[in-house]
Amino acid sequence: MTDWAGKRYWLVGASAGLGEALARHMSRMGIRLVLSARSEDDLNQLARDLPGPAEVMPLDVTDPDAIRKATETIGEIDGLVFLAGAYWPMKTQNWDFEHANTMADVNFTGLMRVLGAAVPGMVARDHGHIVITGSLSGYRGLPKAIGYAASKAGVMRLAECMHADLRKTGVRVQLVNPGFIRTRLTDKNDFKMPFLMEADEAAARIFEHMCSDRFKRDFPLRLSAIIGFGRMLPDWLYYRLFA
């Protein structure tokens, strides 16, 4: 059981959806929060609604200078949760240059920028907790997932590399790989989303994982099992079934 009271965590991507829901869970546990996203108005509203203390730090994860300044302003933290994300459903036949690059720049490179600014301090202090949000879509190629699945695959490999390096230190790395969650991003989908979860339920799963000693958690269970089955199939059968 983790003693959360008084801990200070930086949530990047906290203004809506899964980030907002997780902020509410963490605040109820007595965690002091630093809330970041692009929308200052949404962050201020969330900070006012939370039961515990929260600071607001507007941030665009595609801006390296802003990230460096934010990290210096925030100072020492006990943990960092990265939830920022961009998404548009996209087939290769309908490649959209701007949207595809934005997904790569926010989901993967944005994470690299934030971690590059925050992790050295944690390593120097030998203290910290990093929670990274991947996706079940990052395990293997899927239709209409140009940009998103590829960027999340990079995110997941990055988390695995960090865990390999830091697992015997005072800096803990965890990875969560959710399936479909009802947010403004998934509202863009025009296809059936199996085992669709509400943001609050998904946030509860993530916080449960944060309380554990495990590195990785995939959810929901039924969709994770289907994806896991697909990972074991040979290419010819996988693409016949999943594409």
Side-chain angles (χ1 to χ4, degrees):
M1 179 66 70
T2 302
D3 181 9
W4 295 104
K7 296 290 176 61
R8 189 165 178 253
Y9 271 65
W10 184 13
L11 268 62
V12 181
S15 63
L18 181 59
E20 177 186 352
L22 184 59
R24 296 183 187 279
H25 277 267
M26 295 177 70
S27 185
R28 288 195 292 268
M29 296 301 296
I31 300 172
R32 298 161 52 208
L33 298 176
V34 181
L35 307 173
S36 286
R38 288 182 301 171
S39 174
E40 185 172 4
D41 290 343
D42 289 345
L43 292 174
N44 283 327
Q45 181 62 55
L46 175 59
R48 287 192 292 267
D49 291 344
L50 292 177
E55 306 164 55
V56 168
M57 179 64 65
L59 184 67
D60 182 346
V61 299
T62 68
D63 186 338
D65 290 335
I67 291 170
R68 282 192 289 267
K69 291 176 182 176
T71 306
E72 292 171 1
T73 301
I74 291 168
E76 291 188 9
I77 53 175
D78 295 293
L80 165 67
V81 185
F82 191 91
L83 302 125
Y87 169 73
W88 291 269
M90 188 185 306
K91 294 181 68 173
T92 305
Q93 297 93 323
N94 302 317
W95 195 298
D96 183 308
F97 179 89
E98 295 296 335
H99 284 170
N101 285 6
T102 297
M103 283 186 273
D105 201 22
V106 172
N107 301 347
F108 178 65
T109 314
L111 171 64
M112 292 282 282
R113 293 187 189 101
V114 172
L115 292 179
V119 169
M122 292 184 179
V123 171
R125 296 189 302 273
D126 197 32
H127 171 76
H129 182 195
I130 300 160
V131 183
I132 295 171
T133 310
S135 170
L136 292 179
S137 69
Y139 278 119
R140 205 163 177 184
L142 292 167
K144 293 187 177 182
I146 288 296
Y148 190 77
S151 64
K152 286 298 185 178
V155 165
M156 293 156 67
R157 298 297 86 74
L158 172 62
E160 291 168 356
C161 292
M162 293 178 65
H163 178 59
D165 289 335
L166 298 173
R167 64 190 181 88
K168 294 185 178 181
T169 73
V171 181
R172 185 160 58 113
V173 179
Q174 291 185 301
L175 172 66
V176 290
N177 298 317
F180 295 107
I181 302 170
R182 193 189 306 278
T183 66
R184 291 182 295 187
L185 298 183
T186 55
D187 286 345
K188 300 174 183 179
N189 288 336
D190 59 359
F191 54 85
K192 182 179 180 181
M193 294 174 280
F195 313 111
L196 179 66
M197 302 180 69
E198 298 299 329
D200 190 64
E201 181 184 1
R205 302 279 183 92
I206 292 174
F207 191 71
E208 286 173 4
H209 183 58
M210 291 171 63
C211 294
S212 76
D213 294 326
R214 291 176 295 167
F215 163 59
K216 182 179 69 172
R217 181 169 183 179
D218 299 339
F219 66 90
L221 180 60
R222 286 179 292 178
L223 184 57
S224 301
I226 293 170
I227 295 295
F229 170 71
R231 292 170 63 195
M232 296 186 293
L233 297 177
D235 286 346
W236 68 269
L237 182 55
Y238 172 81
Y239 289 107
R240 178 176 295 180
L241 295 177
F242 283 79

